[in-house]
Amino acid sequence: MPVLSALVSRPSLRLLVGTAGLSLAACGGSGDSAGDAAVPPAGAVASLDTATLSADAVKIAGFTVDTARTLPWQATLSVPGRLELDPNALETIGSITEGRITHVTVRVGDRVAAGQALVMVHSHEIMDARSALRSSTARVTAMQAERDLAATAAERAQRLFDNKAMSRADLERAQVARRVAESTHEQAVAERDRAEALVEHLAGMGPLPAGADEHDVIIRTPIGGVVTGREAQPGTVVLPGTPLLTVGNPDRLQLEMHVPEQQSTGIDVGATVRYALTDHPDRFFDATVIRVAPTVDTLTRTVQIIAQLKGKPAGRAETFVQANISGKGTTAALVVPAAAVQALEGDTVVFVTEPRGAGMQVKATRVRVGRRSVEKVEVLAGLDAGNAVVVRGAAIAKAELLKRRSGGGE
């Protein structure tokens, strides 16, 4: 027995039809015409759009109820999107020297740690830098010896002068020689430090990786993450600034969408986004719009929208999603959930409910609708704010009423 007919008993329905026939006779209707007998009265038609349900019937049908309410109309747009790496979490690693690539230690998709050696470039710059470091280190040693000797001479000259065994001029010359030796030593230390910094810049910190020698410049990654691009190939000659690899943080993603120009009105920074992976359309995640492109793409006539994900990313970079963007609220409108609106034999209806003891009464109510979004519909006429309407199960109610209208519910 259909759910909506469960509580409308056959004797009651027969009594209703009999009463309708008596009404026709009282109004002068004749039973001689078969065509007149086939036309039901208006009251009988109205009764076919109403049903009283018990609590058990409501439970079996799985109905859910919501309320028509007046809210600022918030345009919602459904568009495809793509998860991509956050540009602020991407690092394009270029060559820091001129030379020939000898080794590339990673491939696209490899996970790397900060400071890890990725590319080795054979270059004369590292040879010159190491030579300059050895030379400056030796000079520091020599200048340190001269500084110590000058300090000893100045101290001895001071003692001799105090004992009146040396002239003041000789003492001053010894003190000047000490200051000159100290300055020369400081200059040598600065040159050594500069040479060390250049070698560290070209080779990085830590031991040389396997396969490298002292003539290789070591290109290391400044951040940890995943290799997303590789342009470097062994044997290629590169110049300073030539792109070699791209490393990104896979845990920092953003959502990119392209909205048709005419539908982008009302979408601004701060708008909410709900998205679902194409492989899991029933699981939704949240994001917030952080950028709306100020210009329209000249080829596609779309506006780029960028949203920041909330929480841990639900997918990987370059995953496609279906996103619902909710713009800012504008003028007030009476709205109901989109699932509550049904088409019934050419009419647009919602199923208004009222409590009937432990059960409820359902009535198909004609409405005139306006704007629509993915989640809600604007009602222009036929419904009042506060009316309870069937959301889940509205299609079941529609099927049952269609059956009753056709006489299948007898």
Side-chain angles (χ1 to χ4, degrees):
M1 178 180 293
V3 174
L4 291 183
S5 300
L7 293 204
V8 181
S9 65
R10 297 184 184 274
S12 298
L13 188 56
R14 287 195 293 269
L15 178 60
L16 176 61
V17 174
T19 303
L22 291 175
S23 298
L24 281 174
C27 294
S30 172
D32 296 336
S33 172
D36 292 340
V39 179
V45 174
S47 68
L48 294 178
D49 288 347
T50 304
T52 302
L53 308 176
S54 68
D56 290 338
V58 173
K59 182 178 180 181
I60 293 172
F63 289 118
T64 60
V65 177
D66 203 342
T67 305
R69 63 196 69 187
T70 302
L71 299 172
W73 177 258
Q74 191 177 30
T76 302
L77 179 65
S78 182
V79 294
R82 179 175 63 93
L83 296 178
E84 62 180 10
L85 288 171
D86 186 346
N88 294 326
L90 279 176
E91 188 76 26
T92 299
I93 302 170
S95 177
I96 57 176
T97 185
E98 177 183 355
R100 179 176 57 84
I101 297 175
T102 58
H103 297 84
V104 181
T105 64
V106 293
R107 295 177 296 181
V108 173
D110 289 350
R111 185 174 287 273
V112 297
Q116 181 176 335
L118 306 182
V119 181
M120 288 166 261
V121 180
H122 186 82
S123 174
H124 65 85
E125 289 189 34
I126 188 66
M127 300 167 61
D128 295 342
R130 292 188 184 279
S131 176
L133 176 59
R134 287 190 290 268
S135 176
S136 60
T137 300
R139 178 173 172 78
V140 167
T141 301
M143 292 301 100
Q144 185 175 356
E146 290 189 8
R147 181 200 63 183
D148 294 344
L149 179 61
T152 301
E155 291 172 357
R156 184 171 56 252
Q158 184 65 51
R159 289 194 300 271
L160 292 174
F161 177 77
D162 293 341
N163 293 326
K164 303 186 183 303
M166 178 177 285
S167 66
R168 178 174 295 276
D170 291 336
L171 173 62
E172 291 176 350
R173 278 194 292 271
Q175 291 175 340
V176 169
R178 179 178 183 175
R179 288 195 293 271
V180 170
E182 290 175 347
S183 297
T184 305
H185 174 261
E186 291 178 357
Q187 182 180 4
V189 170
E191 292 177 356
R192 182 200 60 190
D193 292 344
R194 178 179 177 277
E196 284 181 347
L198 181 57
V199 171
E200 181 180 329
H201 171 67
L202 296 175
M205 297 292 291
L208 294 176
D213 58 33
E214 291 188 350
H215 297 161
D216 283 339
V217 173
I218 311 300
I219 310 297
R220 303 175 186 266
T221 173
I223 64 172
V226 173
V227 178
T228 61
R230 168 178 159 169
E231 293 79 21
Q233 297 296 333
T236 304
V237 175
V238 295
L239 298 173
T242 302
L244 302 176
L245 297 163
T246 304
V247 176
N249 185 347
D251 295 329
R252 292 183 58 183
L253 303 180
Q254 65 181 21
L255 175 58
E256 180 190 38
M257 300 157 288
H258 291 271
V259 177
E261 176 185 5
Q262 62 273 20
Q263 298 180 7
S264 63
T265 304
I267 299 177
D268 206 346
V269 173
T272 59
V273 180
R274 298 199 73 202
Y275 68 95
L277 306 183
T278 53
D279 294 339
H280 300 281
D282 56 335
R283 295 180 57 195
F284 287 89
F285 305 90
D286 296 323
T288 303
V289 173
I290 58 173
R291 181 178 184 274
V292 178
T295 58
V296 178
D297 188 282
T298 56
L299 297 178
T300 63
R301 306 308 301 174
T302 58
V303 177
Q304 184 193 49
I305 308 291
I306 301 296
Q308 184 177 36
L309 310 186
K310 293 183 178 179
K312 187 177 181 180
R316 298 182 178 181
E318 304 306 321
T319 298
F320 289 103
V321 305
Q322 190 65 28
N324 297 328
I325 310 174
S326 298
K328 293 183 177 180
T330 55
T331 57
L334 180 65
V335 299
V336 295
V341 179
Q342 299 289 323
L344 183 64
E345 293 186 334
D347 294 325
T348 301
V349 301
V350 297
F351 295 96
V352 178
T353 71
E354 294 182 2
R356 288 292 185 270
M360 67 180 183
Q361 184 187 67
V362 178
K363 180 181 179 182
T365 303
R366 296 177 178 85
V367 294
R368 184 162 58 91
V369 299
R371 294 170 290 186
R372 293 175 179 263
S373 70
V374 176
E375 298 179 348
K376 58 185 178 294
V377 175
E378 179 185 21
V379 178
L380 301 177
L383 205 63
D384 294 325
N387 287 153
V389 298
V390 176
V391 181
R392 180 182 176 187
I396 298 176
K398 168 187 171 182
E400 178 61 24
L401 292 183
L402 284 172
K403 185 175 181 181
R404 295 182 63 193
R405 280 186 174 188
S406 65
E410 291 287 345

